[in-house]
Amino acid sequence: MFAPWAAFAVPIPLDSRICHAVSPLEGPSGALAAIRFRCGAAPSGYQSARLWLQLDPQRYRIRGEAPTLLVHQTRFDRLAVAFRYADGSIEWQEVRAGAFGDHWRPGAQIAFTPRDQKTALTSITLRVDRLASYPLLRLRLLRAGEADIETAVLGGLVGAALTLLLAGAAYNLSLALGTRRAYLGWQGAWAATVFLWGAIWSQFGLLLLPGMAGTTAAQTSTALSALSILLATLSAISALEKGRIPGPLRATALALGIAVAAIGIPATLARGPLIESIASPLAAAVLGNLGAVLACLIVGARRGSVEARDLLAAWSVPMAALALTQLVDLGTLFWGGGAQILVLFASAWQTLWLSFAASRRLARMRTERDLALAAEARASRLAEHDPLTAIRNRRGFLEAADALIATAARNQMSVALLLVDIDRFKAINDEHGHDAGDVVLCTIAARLARWEGPSCVVARLGGEEFALLTIAADRPALAFAELVREAIAACDHRAAIGDRRVTISIGVAEGRHRVDFAALYREADRALYAAKRGGRNQVRHADKVPGPVASGQRPAATG
């Protein structure tokens, strides 16, 4: 059974059990017999020379099959491993910067497995040209079969984390473009940067760019990791409104994020003691940045910022992971991935959580927008519809009439306007009350509304006066008006006013081509009052009414 913390692997501490030697680069590369190893103090002067390390595999309790040596350090020019067997034979395996061949493994590891699995090993010797830092070197021994299992597990987990990061980067960047929110853009850029860092650090990038193997990949990973901290800081700061957090606190977090990038990115070119001297101020800047951003999020959350609460939940795991890597040397834990694999998993969590939070906020924004649009539509409907009868009012009628007239003009159709007035409506109100009159109005409006459609607009203009505007080309306007009059006369009003019959008078006017609605309305109004004067309960066409109504001849009441 495979232990999740890689318990089968034996870490090799850089102590007195490892003997070392330093020789010039120009010397013979394979002359082990000429090398004088010494044990004890750490080597020096190796950054521009050749460092030799020798260890006894029997001291590390690797029993059974021949062990695999895993090297966790890729900043060198050339690395060779010599396996010395009990029969005196020596087997060399070698990699160099830009050419790791099939020795690379996920998690910035290089694996060396002796080909002879039957003969016992007496020693393992490493020869490293221009090693960047001896204290940062990590070595492990484990059985070859277990090394394969570890590689498969680590590769699967890294692949899953990278997939989440890539999806999160694409999703957040698309949201940033759609919603024009700056913090989503920074979040997407951060996820993309961490994806690139993970792909290069894990060495999966060597599948596409094998020439990056070694120092180039390590330097690029260092630069991307520093850049990712700055981008994460910008994402958190830009998500919080300026009024939510104090200006000095925001400025401090941003300054420390810039400091991490300013220290970390130039560190990509560092070698030897300079790398070790940069480590302390860089760790201090990272921890300070984490503390400042955390303070910003806590203050923002306490002041009611939804974004701060979401970011606080998302950042909690990566913050803890990053702080842990700065305070504790995780070495080669987590299947050999060490601190980097912990950060990668935490970053995948952060991307997943923030994508979920952004989706939730977007859904909330869409709901609020839909509610606002619905409220606006209701307000518009109320402004254009009669509250009593629910059909259009004068305003709504005029707007719809303009559109209908434009349609008639495009299709060279005639336009007919019918003005409808209820006969003796005042008497209904006087005898039965206004509530009964309202019922009559609603009944007539409901009947008229049956003609509402693409070619007909119905409205209550006010009081007991209604209007229909139609552009139907297949029926004469006068015949249509008669149909309307008969339909209204047939309405049942017994529930409100008993057996009393309600009739209407209709005035009709027609126009073609460029119809002037105001003129059409005047003609229909003239015809309506002709119908009223002619005895009511009838239809009159403006063309058959001689002359306009003289000033002062319009009745005072329209009953």
Side-chain angles (χ1 to χ4, degrees):
M1 183 175 180
F2 180 65
W5 299 92
F8 292 128
V10 178
I12 301 176
L14 302 180
D15 54 18
S16 59
R17 288 182 291 180
I18 296 182
C19 299
H20 64 271
V22 177
S23 67
L25 291 173
E26 296 77 15
S29 60
L32 282 176
I35 302 301
R36 296 292 179 262
F37 290 93
R38 60 176 185 152
C39 308
S44 60
Y46 57 83
Q47 286 88 1
S48 299
R50 178 171 291 155
L51 174 65
W52 301 78
L53 301 174
Q54 190 173 70
L55 55 97
D56 181 359
Q58 300 303 319
R59 290 184 177 180
Y60 300 100
R61 300 179 181 177
I62 298 294
R63 298 289 184 263
E65 60 184 292
T68 290
L69 174 67
L70 288 170
V71 180
H72 300 253
Q73 173 61 280
T74 59
R75 290 198 181 200
F76 53 75
D77 287 353
R78 190 180 298 270
L79 167 64
V81 175
F83 295 104
R84 184 188 294 272
Y85 295 99
D87 60 7
S89 63
I90 298 176
E91 175 194 340
W92 282 94
Q93 297 181 21
E94 181 177 309
V95 298
R96 58 180 176 79
F100 283 0
D102 59 358
H103 290 279
W104 72 268
R105 296 293 183 272
Q109 303 178 88
I110 308 171
F112 298 92
T113 303
R115 296 184 180 88
D116 187 346
Q117 297 286 306
K118 297 180 180 180
T119 306
L121 291 174
T122 58
S123 69
I124 300 176
T125 303
L126 285 77
R127 188 192 73 230
V128 194
D129 293 356
R130 295 176 57 84
L131 178 66
S133 174
Y134 178 73
L136 297 180
L137 183 65
R138 299 286 186 273
L139 304 174
R140 290 191 304 149
L141 282 174
L142 68 166
R143 297 184 183 94
E146 293 159 0
D148 293 338
I149 296 174
E150 182 182 277
T151 296
V153 172
L154 184 60
L157 292 174
V158 170
L162 291 178
T163 300
L164 289 174
L165 284 166
L166 183 59
Y171 183 67
N172 281 280
L173 289 173
S174 64
L175 280 183
L177 292 175
T179 61
R180 299 186 182 277
R181 302 293 295 272
Y183 83 93
L184 289 173
W186 290 121
Q187 176 64 26
W190 168 84
T193 302
V194 177
F195 167 78
L196 290 175
W197 167 80
I200 294 173
W201 162 79
S202 67
Q203 300 190 134
F204 281 169
L206 299 184
L207 295 172
L208 297 176
L209 299 171
M212 287 189 67
T215 301
T216 301
Q219 291 175 334
T220 306
S221 296
T222 301
L224 289 173
S225 62
L227 178 61
S228 69
I229 293 176
L230 175 58
L231 292 174
T233 303
L234 291 170
S235 172
I237 296 301
S238 61
L240 304 176
E241 301 91 341
K242 291 186 178 180
R244 298 285 189 182
I245 54 176
L249 184 58
R250 179 191 295 268
T252 299
L254 184 59
L256 288 170
I258 294 173
V260 170
I263 298 172
I265 293 177
T268 59
L269 303 177
R271 296 183 71 94
L274 183 57
I275 292 180
E276 298 158 20
S277 63
I278 289 175
S280 294
L282 183 59
V286 170
L287 290 174
N289 172 261
L290 290 176
V293 172
L294 181 61
C296 288
L297 296 179
I298 292 175
V299 171
R302 289 175 61 87
R303 294 184 177 181
S305 172
V306 177
E307 288 81 3
R309 288 195 291 268
D310 288 338
L311 286 168
L312 195 57
W315 273 62
S316 58
V317 174
M319 279 183 170
L322 196 54
L324 184 64
T325 62
Q326 301 299 319
L327 299 174
V328 178
D329 183 6
L330 298 178
T332 56
L333 293 177
F334 302 105
W335 305 276
Q340 291 87 349
I341 193 65
L342 183 62
V343 171
L344 187 63
F345 291 161
S347 298
W349 154 262
Q350 179 175 341
T351 300
L352 195 63
W353 181 270
L354 284 177
S355 296
F356 167 75
S359 298
R360 187 180 57 191
R361 283 196 300 272
L362 182 60
R364 187 163 53 242
M365 290 169 58
R366 285 176 175 170
T367 301
E368 293 172 354
R369 181 200 63 189
D370 293 343
L371 290 174
L373 290 175
E376 182 181 355
R378 285 194 301 270
S380 177
R381 179 175 177 82
L382 289 174
E384 296 179 358
H385 286 72
D386 176 50
L388 175 62
T389 61
I391 63 174
R392 298 177 194 270
N393 58 17
R394 182 180 293 272
R395 175 182 174 181
F397 180 70
L398 293 176
E399 291 186 3
D402 288 340
L404 205 57
I405 290 172
T407 300
R410 287 194 301 271
N411 296 285
Q412 297 183 343
M413 301 169 68
S414 63
V415 178
L417 175 62
L418 284 64
L419 291 184
V420 178
D421 192 87
I422 302 175
D423 297 330
R424 296 183 174 88
F425 184 71
K426 184 176 184 302
I428 295 174
N429 282 335
D430 292 342
E431 294 176 17
H432 301 280
H434 288 280
D435 289 343
D438 289 346
V439 173
V440 171
L441 289 172
C442 290
T443 302
I444 292 175
R447 185 64 186 87
L448 292 174
R450 296 181 186 181
W451 284 289
E452 176 80 30
S455 61
C456 184
V457 178
V458 178
R460 179 190 177 199
L461 300 184
E464 65 273 23
E465 188 173 357
F466 296 85
L468 296 89
L469 185 75
T470 178
I471 61 172
D474 58 346
R475 61 189 176 193
L478 205 56
F480 176 55
E482 285 290 348
L483 178 64
V484 171
R485 185 188 64 81
E486 293 172 0
I488 297 302
C491 288
D492 185 359
H493 302 284
R494 284 177 296 179
I497 59 176
D499 293 332
R500 180 168 182 164
R501 186 165 176 258
V502 179
T503 62
I504 59 173
S505 299
I506 302 177
V508 181
E510 289 186 88
R512 273 189 173 277
H513 306 302
R514 295 184 180 181
V515 175
D516 182 351
F517 180 79
L520 193 68
Y521 186 90
R522 287 193 298 269
E523 289 296 296
D525 190 51
R526 183 168 62 86
L528 172 62
Y529 281 96
K532 286 288 187 181
R533 290 194 305 272
R536 299 180 179 87
N537 191 23
Q538 60 182 276
V539 176
R540 297 294 295 271
H541 197 291
D543 290 348
K544 297 181 180 180
V545 176
V549 175
S551 177
Q553 293 182 351
R554 181 170 178 165
T558 60

